[in-house]
Amino acid sequence: MSARPPGTMWRFLMLQAARLALGLVGAVLLVACIGALSAEGAHHGAAGYFSALLAQLSGFARFDFGTSIISGMPAASDVGMRLPVTFELAGLGAIVALVLGGPLGILLGTERPLRAAAPLMQIVTATPVFVASLALLWFAANILHWPEAHYGNSLRDLALPVLTVGAAGAAAVQLGLRRAAADAMDEPYRRGLRLMGLSTLEINSVYLMPQILTGLCRSLGDITLALFAAAAVAEWVFGWPGAAVLFLKSVALHNWNVAALVLLVFAAIKFFADFAGELGAYALLARGART
């Protein structure tokens, strides 16, 4: 197969960059609408709220994200201190997610006897993260007799929250891989390649794996979202002082400037993950086209 013309690559890149920019603009407008609720005049009718919204957008343009009503500190300082904790949890969870979800997704998508078990696996992975984390906490306290979990750097302190986030991420990883593998297994070219004398190993390594990795790349945004959503639950249950649980507490306490900033950061990361995933998928497809 011939490679795509260079102009196609640039058009694709510009399209994805435009999608990224529109997503970020939409996220900024949404969080500005949320952050404007912190202004005193925002609750004095539509005119007051619109004025507060314009002031919020003006502050965003100056990288001023308002003040936390809880700590009295700038929202950026509050969130900045918490983000490394969430990134640590999500990063370690992502490693667990790939280790657990990668092989499982490929097996469920490629092995026909196991493909029949995919609906059952979907039911299992649909278990709420909150329920799973409470079950892990009960197991640690009653079976392993661990003391109360808290934020720390020891393996014991990391194990339960990382496993919670990793399990949620593994569900997203295996779903993306399973769908891509199942679609690739049903492609009609496989029969033609077998008739040409290629072995199953050759077909899978040269043609199947790039398609599966393409599916994983296109699921990168969903996987990222699953990791951060699980991080919010894990931080709450296991007492980690991260930005994800700060968002939940800020919403509960009407600390809208902080909640808006956390949401903006997470939305931006998700959109950039989508952008990187689409570029990675395109690169894999282009490489396959040259094969």
Side-chain angles (χ1 to χ4, degrees):
M1 298 175 64
S2 61
R4 292 183 176 90
T8 303
M9 180 188 70
W10 287 109
R11 284 194 297 270
F12 178 82
L13 182 60
M14 294 300 293
L15 175 61
Q16 295 305 318
R19 290 180 59 186
L20 173 62
L22 287 174
L24 292 175
V25 169
V28 169
L29 292 175
L30 174 62
V31 300
C33 291
I34 296 173
L37 296 172
S38 293
E40 293 183 1
H43 305 283
H44 298 161
Y49 178 77
F50 186 69
S51 176
L53 177 59
L54 291 179
Q56 192 78 10
L57 289 171
S58 175
F60 281 7
R62 303 189 306 272
F63 295 97
D64 178 8
F65 299 97
T67 304
S68 169
I69 64 171
I70 306 300
S71 67
M73 297 174 59
S77 298
D78 265 4
V79 176
M81 290 188 298
R82 301 287 196 104
L83 279 174
V85 176
T86 299
F87 289 159
E88 177 186 5
L89 184 55
L92 293 173
I95 297 173
V96 175
L98 290 174
V99 171
L100 296 180
L104 185 60
I106 295 174
L107 287 174
L108 289 175
T110 56
E111 297 295 333
R112 295 195 179 274
L114 293 178
R115 290 171 72 177
L120 177 61
M121 180 58 61
Q122 194 63 30
I123 295 174
V124 174
T125 55
T127 302
V129 178
F130 184 72
V131 175
S133 61
L134 288 179
L136 285 174
L137 193 60
W138 180 90
F139 180 82
N142 293 277
I143 305 301
L144 301 179
H145 303 293
W146 285 0
E148 184 178 355
H150 60 86
Y151 175 64
N153 294 318
S154 69
L155 182 60
R156 190 195 67 198
D157 295 330
L158 291 171
L160 296 182
V162 168
L163 186 58
T164 299
V165 176
V173 169
Q174 70 86 20
L175 181 60
L177 287 174
R178 178 164 56 83
R179 287 174 175 172
D183 290 341
M185 290 292 292
D186 293 332
E187 289 284 350
Y189 71 80
R190 295 179 61 84
R191 177 177 174 82
L193 292 174
R194 288 195 188 95
L195 293 175
M196 293 172 59
L198 272 70
S199 66
T200 301
L201 178 61
E202 291 174 318
I203 295 172
N204 289 345
S205 60
V206 177
Y207 297 97
L208 179 65
M209 287 308 299
Q211 286 187 269
I212 293 177
L213 292 177
T214 297
L216 180 62
C217 287
R218 286 177 170 161
S219 301
L220 191 57
D222 294 335
I223 296 169
T224 302
L225 196 60
L227 290 171
F228 281 124
V233 176
E235 288 174 4
W236 183 286
V237 173
F238 300 106
W240 278 44
V245 74
L246 179 63
F247 172 77
L248 300 179
K249 293 180 178 179
S250 297
V251 171
L253 298 174
H254 296 179
N255 193 8
W256 298 118
N257 282 328
V258 172
L261 182 55
V262 175
L263 185 60
L264 178 60
V265 172
F266 288 172
I269 293 173
K270 197 270 183 188
F271 288 134
F272 274 104
D274 282 331
F275 178 72
E278 288 295 333
L279 293 186
Y282 185 91
L284 287 169
L285 290 175
R287 179 181 178 185
R290 292 193 296 268
T291 303

